Amino acid sequence: MEELLSMGFSQEIASQALAATGGRSSLEATEWILSQTPSSSPSSSKPSCHSPTFQPSLDRFFLSNNNEPHSKRPRRSAAAPAPSAPVVPATPATGAPSATACPPTAPLSERMRPATLDAILGQDHLLGPASLLHSVIRPPATAAAVLPSFILWGPPGSGKTSLARGLAVALPQSSHRFVPLSAVAAGVRDLRDAVDAARRARPLGRRTVLFVDEIHRFSKSQQDSFLPAIEDGSIILVGATTENPSFHLTTPLLSRCRVLALHPLKPHHVEALLRRAVSDPEKGLQVTTRVPVSVDQEALEFLSLHCDGDARVALNALEIAATLAVDRQSSLDDNGNITVTVDHAKEAMQCKHLAYDRAGEEHYNLISALHKSMRGSDPDAAIYWLARMLEGGEQPLYIARRLVRFASEDVGLADPAALGHAVACYQACHFIGMPECDVCLAQCVAYLARAPKSVAVYRALNEARRVVKESGGGNDGVPLHLRNAPTKLMKEMGYGEGYMYPPDHPGCSLQTYLPPSLQGCKFLDWPPIDEKRQ
């Protein structure tokens, strides 16, 4: 009772809360009070827990171990961080994430983050009328919202965090609570505290939506700590990642979550977001410039085309361009307002933003595209994918090593000189490095793409490996006539007996070299059937 009164609750409300929860814990009593609907009783002299201006912070009064008596709990200093999971700033009336919580000093991309699902652009396959999320958020009148655990997978700036926060606003606040964590800063204790709080809130009729940003940064043991809470329904996990979940998330976690893929934003989506930032007087571009500004259509098109589908890059570049325009005041429109031109946009962007990670999925996507373009004898496409990799910062020696492999795997006996050409390319890249070796790589890529192709050696090796692996009872020994006999004992045992030296026996075509069980087996089909017919 003393703790509840010190938090500003009235005597009557505190008594009701303790009676409803059995007096086991002041934290349970506080959560019970906050979960109740606003009371119609006259306001007391003390602040009411339902007052629009009252929002108590439980972290100031409780530690993570809430079963200890208050007298035995250690006092926490004012500077000590609260161990419980952080909660998104909420509006007092609904508990939903606040749309105005972002300070004016935040970057433009953060200020213009969509506050609702309807404001998100470019992800209609996830938010359309026939999508899974739409059916969960707006269920039929006879059904209740049942949100599954899912992973949001998409490139940076595609709207993963905005979608999760918009989902928190759309869900019924009386039955759901939204708790965000970042895998960059959170640890095992933060996960445990979030799960414990979710289990305490569930008997009160509130399910916890735990949003974990950059979830791929958690270790396997940390990811496995979610499993029991997801399994028993204590939490609804919403993870966000830029990496392929198949490679960076554990299989048990993926089996309990749906993977929802977000697409990079199209240029017209990015342009619409930029126009929204220009026209918004409360959170938009004028908050940064403090004076009215306008943006040329050419500048908007340049930013939307050169951000590679990343809305964050485009918005932050627009903010820098506007700052440059205000500082120089070199461009004024007919009304005397400062205009952001394409020159400002180019200076702010510096260079085209490329979504490329040398250790991520895009690395493997591009090398696969290069390999398949050369295999398909398309030198134009092959050189294009090579340029994409080089501009993304790929190591030239990695590309050269792949070209050496391609020369034997896909060109092979059709042009034996291709292997020497690829090895020479690798040596040239090793000698001179970037940027001078880019032409060497392009020459080799064009050569391999135009070269005749043969996979005869590749198929022969794979077939021989299959026979070796699948031989029943072990592989046959080397026939005696093919063995060397460096000692007298080995000669007496028949090693090398009957071997015919080809230079001395030009007609020794009857001599066999395969084990008896594989006599007549054909691995290498060369020359090709067409050449045999000719």
Side-chain angles (χ1 to χ4, degrees), residues 159-241:
K160 299 182 295 296
T161 303
S162 299
L163 195 154
R165 294 186 180 181
L167 186 65
V169 175
L171 289 172
Q173 302 304 315
S174 59
S175 58
H176 293 80
R177 54 192 295 268
F178 184 77
V179 179
L181 285 178
S182 175
V184 177
V188 176
R189 182 178 179 182
D190 300 301
L191 300 181
R192 188 185 303 116
D193 292 342
V195 172
D196 290 344
R199 286 175 173 160
R200 289 193 300 269
R202 193 178 181 190
L204 303 175
R206 302 189 73 190
R207 298 196 67 187
T208 299
V209 179
L210 180 60
F211 172 62
V212 182
D213 200 7
E214 305 293 339
I215 191 173
H216 62 274
R217 293 185 178 272
F218 275 152
S219 64
K220 291 185 177 180
S221 60
Q222 289 174 313
Q223 294 180 31
D224 289 342
S225 65
F226 291 120
L227 301 182
I230 298 175
E231 198 73 38
D232 61 21
S234 297
I235 65 171
I236 300 171
L237 178 64
V238 178
T241 177

Side-chain angles (χ1 to χ4, degrees), residues 405 409 457-471 475 518 521-524:
R405 166 73 183 193
E409 177 181 341
V457 173
Y458 179 70
R459 289 177 176 174
L461 178 60
N462 288 340
E463 178 63 16
R465 282 178 171 174
R466 185 193 64 79
V467 171
V468 170
K469 292 178 181 179
E470 296 179 2
S471 60
N475 293 291
L518 296 178
C521 186
K522 192 88 170 154
F523 295 109
L524 179 63

Side-chain angles (χ1 to χ4, degrees), residues 109-110 112-117 119-121 127 152 157-169 178 211 213 240 262 312:
S109 59
E110 185 64 24
M112 294 304 300
R113 183 184 296 278
T116 62
L117 293 177
I120 297 177
L121 301 178
L127 301 174
L152 298 172
S158 57
K160 299 182 295 296
T161 303
S162 299
L163 195 154
R165 294 186 180 181
L167 186 65
V169 175
F178 184 77
F211 172 62
D213 200 7
L262 283 77
R312 185 181 293 107

Side-chain angles (χ1 to χ4, degrees), residues 117-118 127-128 132-141 143 145 170:
L117 293 177
D118 294 335
L127 301 174
L132 169 66
L133 295 181
H134 186 275
S135 62
V136 171
I137 298 167
R138 299 175 177 87

Side-chain angles (χ1 to χ4, degrees), residues 374-375 377 406 410-411 414-415 418 446-454:
M374 293 189 298
R375 180 182 295 160
S377 299
F406 182 90
D410 288 274
V411 177
D415 184 0
Y447 180 93
L448 295 177
R450 293 174 56 87
K453 307 296 189 298
S454 171

